[in-house]
Amino acid sequence: MQAVPPASAGKQPVALVVEIKRHSLEDGPGVRSVVFFKGCPLHCSFCQNPETQAVRPELAVAPARCLQCGLCIAACSAGALDPRRQGIVDRARCDACGACAEVCPTGALRRIGVAYTPEALAEVLLRDRHFYRHTGGGITLSGGEPTLFPGYLEELLRLVKAEGVHVSLETCGYFTDYEAVRDHVLPYVDRVDVSLRLADPAAHRAVTGKSNRLILDNLRRLAHEPRVQVEASIPLVPGITATRDNLAGLIELLREAGISSVRLLPYNPLGVHMVAALGRPPPPAPGSFMPVDEYARIRRMFEDLVEHAVARDATSQSPVLHTTG
């Protein structure tokens, strides 16, 4: 089946895929295939998937896996691998071509970012159409930030929606061209999950590199789209997002926008290890998983804050905010 040529969405950067996670039960209803796109306008200090931040290919290195076999050195035409320090990459010379990763027998070197045509990616995703159909599942577009590629997504989603597949979009909400997303992406999307981090614009900029004003504007506009189900999610990062003041502020913003459903996501520190593998400085983020009892405490606090907000403003027309997941 061939894709119908989409309406022009302007010149787009190349869409690279970091990972396709099949048979997921965590990223929307039913059994899902999750596509992690590469590239994000935010650079959160606590990012769970830092390999999805840069829009370009990158090389991840796990020196502990290196056998010092020398195959990568022979394969590298850029001279980015020093034979005297095997397993160490000169990032200034490396062009992330992936030749070294192709010959590495242990996965100590891994090229991150694979280009798929919309047709090729749709073919992979539709392999699980029977799982989607029988479980009420579908595909989830995640990242990074999928809305960086509206023209590409339109081509992809025309193909999967022709098979009746449910589509979820996970977004940070920071897209500067709302009309492009509205016209080229939302017609094919059933559910949008907007991730919110910090209520205060200055604090948001300090942690992510951007103010949250555009995100909140887009959230309000999304909430008024007639066909799309819009939800929110909040990553609970100790000492950063999982504070009483911040959660109370986010509750006010969600109620103002008319959002009725929010997921609270316990912090996952796996991104700290990936930052090291990419050769970046260590992030100022916690290095351990959130304990189950701590997550339960924060969730109870959040629900209490919602109850207090509703009781304080009994005449408000805002929908009641429910936690899910």
PDB file of all heavy atoms in Angstrom, residues 99-125:
ATOM      1  N   ALA A  99      29.939   2.755  11.519  1.00  0.00           N
ATOM      2  CA  ALA A  99      30.759   1.651  11.005  1.00  0.00           C
ATOM      3  C   ALA A  99      31.372   0.845  12.142  1.00  0.00           C
ATOM      4  O   ALA A  99      31.459  -0.387  12.081  1.00  0.00           O
ATOM      5  CB  ALA A  99      31.853   2.198  10.088  1.00  0.00           C
ATOM      6  N   CYS A 100      31.796   1.529  13.207  1.00  0.00           N
ATOM      7  CA  CYS A 100      32.398   0.823  14.337  1.00  0.00           C
ATOM      8  C   CYS A 100      31.371  -0.045  15.054  1.00  0.00           C
ATOM      9  O   CYS A 100      31.662  -1.168  15.483  1.00  0.00           O
ATOM     10  CB  CYS A 100      33.017   1.819  15.313  1.00  0.00           C
ATOM     11  SG  CYS A 100      31.834   3.029  15.983  1.00  0.00           S
ATOM     12  N   ALA A 101      30.140   0.475  15.190  1.00  0.00           N
ATOM     13  CA  ALA A 101      29.089  -0.281  15.874  1.00  0.00           C
ATOM     14  C   ALA A 101      28.706  -1.532  15.106  1.00  0.00           C
ATOM     15  O   ALA A 101      28.366  -2.568  15.696  1.00  0.00           O
ATOM     16  CB  ALA A 101      27.868   0.612  16.086  1.00  0.00           C
ATOM     17  N   GLU A 102      28.784  -1.463  13.779  1.00  0.00           N
ATOM     18  CA  GLU A 102      28.401  -2.614  12.961  1.00  0.00           C
ATOM     19  C   GLU A 102      29.331  -3.808  13.178  1.00  0.00           C
ATOM     20  O   GLU A 102      28.906  -4.958  13.073  1.00  0.00           O
ATOM     21  CB  GLU A 102      28.390  -2.228  11.480  1.00  0.00           C
ATOM     22  CG  GLU A 102      27.248  -1.284  11.111  1.00  0.00           C
ATOM     23  CD  GLU A 102      27.274  -0.922   9.641  1.00  0.00           C
ATOM     24  OE1 GLU A 102      28.126  -1.477   8.909  1.00  0.00           O
ATOM     25  OE2 GLU A 102      26.458  -0.068   9.222  1.00  0.00           O
ATOM     26  N   VAL A 103      30.600  -3.533  13.500  1.00  0.00           N
ATOM     27  CA  VAL A 103      31.547  -4.640  13.664  1.00  0.00           C
ATOM     28  C   VAL A 103      31.789  -4.995  15.128  1.00  0.00           C
ATOM     29  O   VAL A 103      32.469  -5.978  15.418  1.00  0.00           O
ATOM     30  CB  VAL A 103      32.898  -4.304  12.990  1.00  0.00           C
ATOM     31  CG1 VAL A 103      32.710  -4.066  11.499  1.00  0.00           C
ATOM     32  CG2 VAL A 103      33.558  -3.088  13.641  1.00  0.00           C
ATOM     33  N   CYS A 104      31.245  -4.216  16.055  1.00  0.00           N
ATOM     34  CA  CYS A 104      31.473  -4.482  17.479  1.00  0.00           C
ATOM     35  C   CYS A 104      30.727  -5.743  17.904  1.00  0.00           C
ATOM     36  O   CYS A 104      29.504  -5.818  17.785  1.00  0.00           O
ATOM     37  CB  CYS A 104      31.006  -3.291  18.314  1.00  0.00           C
ATOM     38  SG  CYS A 104      31.252  -3.531  20.094  1.00  0.00           S
ATOM     39  N   PRO A 105      31.415  -6.755  18.416  1.00  0.00           N
ATOM     40  CA  PRO A 105      30.754  -8.027  18.730  1.00  0.00           C
ATOM     41  C   PRO A 105      29.973  -8.021  20.036  1.00  0.00           C
ATOM     42  O   PRO A 105      29.189  -8.938  20.284  1.00  0.00           O
ATOM     43  CB  PRO A 105      31.928  -9.010  18.808  1.00  0.00           C
ATOM     44  CG  PRO A 105      33.089  -8.186  19.252  1.00  0.00           C
ATOM     45  CD  PRO A 105      32.889  -6.837  18.609  1.00  0.00           C
ATOM     46  N   THR A 106      30.165  -7.018  20.881  1.00  0.00           N
ATOM     47  CA  THR A 106      29.539  -7.035  22.204  1.00  0.00           C
ATOM     48  C   THR A 106      28.505  -5.936  22.425  1.00  0.00           C
ATOM     49  O   THR A 106      27.862  -5.899  23.475  1.00  0.00           O
ATOM     50  CB  THR A 106      30.607  -6.886  23.306  1.00  0.00           C
ATOM     51  OG1 THR A 106      31.227  -5.598  23.180  1.00  0.00           O
ATOM     52  CG2 THR A 106      31.647  -7.989  23.202  1.00  0.00           C
ATOM     53  N   GLY A 107      28.351  -5.045  21.457  1.00  0.00           N
ATOM     54  CA  GLY A 107      27.444  -3.923  21.647  1.00  0.00           C
ATOM     55  C   GLY A 107      28.031  -2.818  22.494  1.00  0.00           C
ATOM     56  O   GLY A 107      27.307  -1.967  23.014  1.00  0.00           O
ATOM     57  N   ALA A 108      29.354  -2.815  22.648  1.00  0.00           N
ATOM     58  CA  ALA A 108      29.999  -1.734  23.390  1.00  0.00           C
ATOM     59  C   ALA A 108      29.846  -0.401  22.666  1.00  0.00           C
ATOM     60  O   ALA A 108      29.893   0.660  23.287  1.00  0.00           O
ATOM     61  CB  ALA A 108      31.480  -2.044  23.595  1.00  0.00           C
ATOM     62  N   LEU A 109      29.674  -0.444  21.364  1.00  0.00           N
ATOM     63  CA  LEU A 109      29.438   0.736  20.542  1.00  0.00           C
ATOM     64  C   LEU A 109      28.070   0.582  19.879  1.00  0.00           C
ATOM     65  O   LEU A 109      27.760  -0.475  19.319  1.00  0.00           O
ATOM     66  CB  LEU A 109      30.520   0.896  19.482  1.00  0.00           C
ATOM     67  CG  LEU A 109      31.952   1.090  20.011  1.00  0.00           C
ATOM     68  CD1 LEU A 109      32.961   0.889  18.906  1.00  0.00           C
ATOM     69  CD2 LEU A 109      32.093   2.472  20.631  1.00  0.00           C
ATOM     70  N   ARG A 110      27.257   1.639  19.939  1.00  0.00           N
ATOM     71  CA  ARG A 110      25.910   1.564  19.363  1.00  0.00           C
ATOM     72  C   ARG A 110      25.552   2.893  18.728  1.00  0.00           C
ATOM     73  O   ARG A 110      25.642   3.944  19.377  1.00  0.00           O
ATOM     74  CB  ARG A 110      24.896   1.208  20.447  1.00  0.00           C
ATOM     75  CG  ARG A 110      23.465   1.092  19.962  1.00  0.00           C
ATOM     76  CD  ARG A 110      22.616   0.322  20.962  1.00  0.00           C
ATOM     77  NE  ARG A 110      22.498   0.995  22.235  1.00  0.00           N
ATOM     78  CZ  ARG A 110      21.457   1.786  22.567  1.00  0.00           C
ATOM     79  NH1 ARG A 110      20.482   1.990  21.701  1.00  0.00           N
ATOM     80  NH2 ARG A 110      21.414   2.351  23.756  1.00  0.00           N
ATOM     81  N   ARG A 111      25.187   2.851  17.460  1.00  0.00           N
ATOM     82  CA  ARG A 111      24.726   4.061  16.771  1.00  0.00           C
ATOM     83  C   ARG A 111      23.254   4.266  17.096  1.00  0.00           C
ATOM     84  O   ARG A 111      22.430   3.370  16.925  1.00  0.00           O
ATOM     85  CB  ARG A 111      24.908   3.940  15.261  1.00  0.00           C
ATOM     86  CG  ARG A 111      24.560   5.215  14.485  1.00  0.00           C
ATOM     87  CD  ARG A 111      24.777   4.991  12.996  1.00  0.00           C
ATOM     88  NE  ARG A 111      24.661   6.225  12.228  1.00  0.00           N
ATOM     89  CZ  ARG A 111      23.550   6.638  11.615  1.00  0.00           C
ATOM     90  NH1 ARG A 111      22.442   5.911  11.725  1.00  0.00           N
ATOM     91  NH2 ARG A 111      23.546   7.758  10.923  1.00  0.00           N
ATOM     92  N   ILE A 112      22.917   5.466  17.552  1.00  0.00           N
ATOM     93  CA  ILE A 112      21.551   5.775  17.950  1.00  0.00           C
ATOM     94  C   ILE A 112      20.931   6.718  16.931  1.00  0.00           C
ATOM     95  O   ILE A 112      21.425   7.825  16.712  1.00  0.00           O
ATOM     96  CB  ILE A 112      21.525   6.413  19.352  1.00  0.00           C
ATOM     97  CG1 ILE A 112      22.098   5.442  20.372  1.00  0.00           C
ATOM     98  CG2 ILE A 112      20.114   6.830  19.730  1.00  0.00           C
ATOM     99  CD1 ILE A 112      22.186   5.998  21.764  1.00  0.00           C
ATOM    100  N   GLY A 113      19.865   6.265  16.316  1.00  0.00           N
ATOM    101  CA  GLY A 113      19.159   7.060  15.314  1.00  0.00           C
ATOM    102  C   GLY A 113      19.143   6.363  13.975  1.00  0.00           C
ATOM    103  O   GLY A 113      20.153   6.323  13.282  1.00  0.00           O
ATOM    104  N   VAL A 114      17.988   5.786  13.619  1.00  0.00           N
ATOM    105  CA  VAL A 114      17.834   5.060  12.358  1.00  0.00           C
ATOM    106  C   VAL A 114      16.735   5.724  11.546  1.00  0.00           C
ATOM    107  O   VAL A 114      15.646   6.016  12.073  1.00  0.00           O
ATOM    108  CB  VAL A 114      17.474   3.579  12.606  1.00  0.00           C
ATOM    109  CG1 VAL A 114      17.259   2.850  11.290  1.00  0.00           C
ATOM    110  CG2 VAL A 114      18.560   2.907  13.434  1.00  0.00           C
ATOM    111  N   ALA A 115      17.007   5.983  10.267  1.00  0.00           N
ATOM    112  CA  ALA A 115      16.019   6.599   9.389  1.00  0.00           C
ATOM    113  C   ALA A 115      15.125   5.525   8.779  1.00  0.00           C
ATOM    114  O   ALA A 115      15.617   4.535   8.235  1.00  0.00           O
ATOM    115  CB  ALA A 115      16.714   7.400   8.296  1.00  0.00           C
ATOM    116  N   TYR A 116      13.819   5.709   8.898  1.00  0.00           N
ATOM    117  CA  TYR A 116      12.827   4.859   8.251  1.00  0.00           C
ATOM    118  C   TYR A 116      12.009   5.718   7.299  1.00  0.00           C
ATOM    119  O   TYR A 116      11.672   6.857   7.629  1.00  0.00           O
ATOM    120  CB  TYR A 116      11.843   4.273   9.270  1.00  0.00           C
ATOM    121  CG  TYR A 116      12.356   3.166  10.149  1.00  0.00           C
ATOM    122  CD1 TYR A 116      13.132   3.449  11.266  1.00  0.00           C
ATOM    123  CD2 TYR A 116      12.028   1.843   9.888  1.00  0.00           C
ATOM    124  CE1 TYR A 116      13.578   2.435  12.104  1.00  0.00           C
ATOM    125  CE2 TYR A 116      12.462   0.814  10.709  1.00  0.00           C
ATOM    126  CZ  TYR A 116      13.239   1.123  11.824  1.00  0.00           C
ATOM    127  OH  TYR A 116      13.672   0.111  12.648  1.00  0.00           O
ATOM    128  N   THR A 117      11.657   5.168   6.145  1.00  0.00           N
ATOM    129  CA  THR A 117      10.618   5.819   5.358  1.00  0.00           C
ATOM    130  C   THR A 117       9.293   5.615   6.087  1.00  0.00           C
ATOM    131  O   THR A 117       9.147   4.673   6.880  1.00  0.00           O
ATOM    132  CB  THR A 117      10.512   5.218   3.956  1.00  0.00           C
ATOM    133  OG1 THR A 117      10.071   3.848   4.062  1.00  0.00           O
ATOM    134  CG2 THR A 117      11.849   5.287   3.224  1.00  0.00           C
ATOM    135  N   PRO A 118       8.299   6.474   5.848  1.00  0.00           N
ATOM    136  CA  PRO A 118       6.999   6.238   6.471  1.00  0.00           C
ATOM    137  C   PRO A 118       6.440   4.859   6.145  1.00  0.00           C
ATOM    138  O   PRO A 118       5.840   4.198   7.007  1.00  0.00           O
ATOM    139  CB  PRO A 118       6.122   7.348   5.901  1.00  0.00           C
ATOM    140  CG  PRO A 118       7.077   8.445   5.555  1.00  0.00           C
ATOM    141  CD  PRO A 118       8.328   7.743   5.092  1.00  0.00           C
ATOM    142  N   GLU A 119       6.669   4.401   4.915  1.00  0.00           N
ATOM    143  CA  GLU A 119       6.161   3.088   4.514  1.00  0.00           C
ATOM    144  C   GLU A 119       6.838   1.966   5.281  1.00  0.00           C
ATOM    145  O   GLU A 119       6.186   1.019   5.728  1.00  0.00           O
ATOM    146  CB  GLU A 119       6.356   2.890   3.000  1.00  0.00           C
ATOM    147  CG  GLU A 119       5.547   3.817   2.122  1.00  0.00           C
ATOM    148  CD  GLU A 119       6.163   5.199   1.969  1.00  0.00           C
ATOM    149  OE1 GLU A 119       7.295   5.430   2.474  1.00  0.00           O
ATOM    150  OE2 GLU A 119       5.525   6.073   1.362  1.00  0.00           O
ATOM    151  N   ALA A 120       8.164   2.074   5.462  1.00  0.00           N
ATOM    152  CA  ALA A 120       8.893   1.028   6.171  1.00  0.00           C
ATOM    153  C   ALA A 120       8.494   0.990   7.639  1.00  0.00           C
ATOM    154  O   ALA A 120       8.336  -0.090   8.222  1.00  0.00           O
ATOM    155  CB  ALA A 120      10.400   1.250   6.031  1.00  0.00           C
ATOM    156  N   LEU A 121       8.323   2.158   8.256  1.00  0.00           N
ATOM    157  CA  LEU A 121       7.942   2.190   9.655  1.00  0.00           C
ATOM    158  C   LEU A 121       6.514   1.680   9.838  1.00  0.00           C
ATOM    159  O   LEU A 121       6.231   0.932  10.783  1.00  0.00           O
ATOM    160  CB  LEU A 121       8.069   3.613  10.197  1.00  0.00           C
ATOM    161  CG  LEU A 121       7.782   3.795  11.691  1.00  0.00           C
ATOM    162  CD1 LEU A 121       8.616   2.853  12.540  1.00  0.00           C
ATOM    163  CD2 LEU A 121       8.029   5.246  12.103  1.00  0.00           C
ATOM    164  N   ALA A 122       5.620   2.042   8.939  1.00  0.00           N
ATOM    165  CA  ALA A 122       4.244   1.544   9.024  1.00  0.00           C
ATOM    166  C   ALA A 122       4.207   0.034   8.906  1.00  0.00           C
ATOM    167  O   ALA A 122       3.443  -0.644   9.613  1.00  0.00           O
ATOM    168  CB  ALA A 122       3.388   2.185   7.929  1.00  0.00           C
ATOM    169  N   GLU A 123       5.046  -0.516   8.048  1.00  0.00           N
ATOM    170  CA  GLU A 123       5.070  -1.978   7.886  1.00  0.00           C
ATOM    171  C   GLU A 123       5.467  -2.666   9.184  1.00  0.00           C
ATOM    172  O   GLU A 123       4.866  -3.675   9.572  1.00  0.00           O
ATOM    173  CB  GLU A 123       6.036  -2.349   6.758  1.00  0.00           C
ATOM    174  CG  GLU A 123       5.999  -3.810   6.331  1.00  0.00           C
ATOM    175  CD  GLU A 123       6.825  -4.728   7.226  1.00  0.00           C
ATOM    176  OE1 GLU A 123       7.867  -4.266   7.723  1.00  0.00           O
ATOM    177  OE2 GLU A 123       6.416  -5.900   7.428  1.00  0.00           O
ATOM    178  N   VAL A 124       6.458  -2.120   9.880  1.00  0.00           N
ATOM    179  CA  VAL A 124       6.866  -2.695  11.165  1.00  0.00           C
ATOM    180  C   VAL A 124       5.735  -2.593  12.182  1.00  0.00           C
ATOM    181  O   VAL A 124       5.409  -3.563  12.883  1.00  0.00           O
ATOM    182  CB  VAL A 124       8.123  -1.980  11.692  1.00  0.00           C
ATOM    183  CG1 VAL A 124       8.463  -2.457  13.103  1.00  0.00           C
ATOM    184  CG2 VAL A 124       9.307  -2.214  10.762  1.00  0.00           C
ATOM    185  N   LEU A 125       5.100  -1.437  12.263  1.00  0.00           N
ATOM    186  CA  LEU A 125       4.065  -1.214  13.269  1.00  0.00           C
ATOM    187  C   LEU A 125       2.823  -2.063  13.016  1.00  0.00           C
ATOM    188  O   LEU A 125       2.171  -2.521  13.954  1.00  0.00           O
ATOM    189  CB  LEU A 125       3.693   0.269  13.307  1.00  0.00           C
ATOM    190  CG  LEU A 125       4.818   1.218  13.715  1.00  0.00           C
ATOM    191  CD1 LEU A 125       4.376   2.666  13.554  1.00  0.00           C
ATOM    192  CD2 LEU A 125       5.268   0.953  15.135  1.00  0.00           C
TER     193      LEU A 125
END
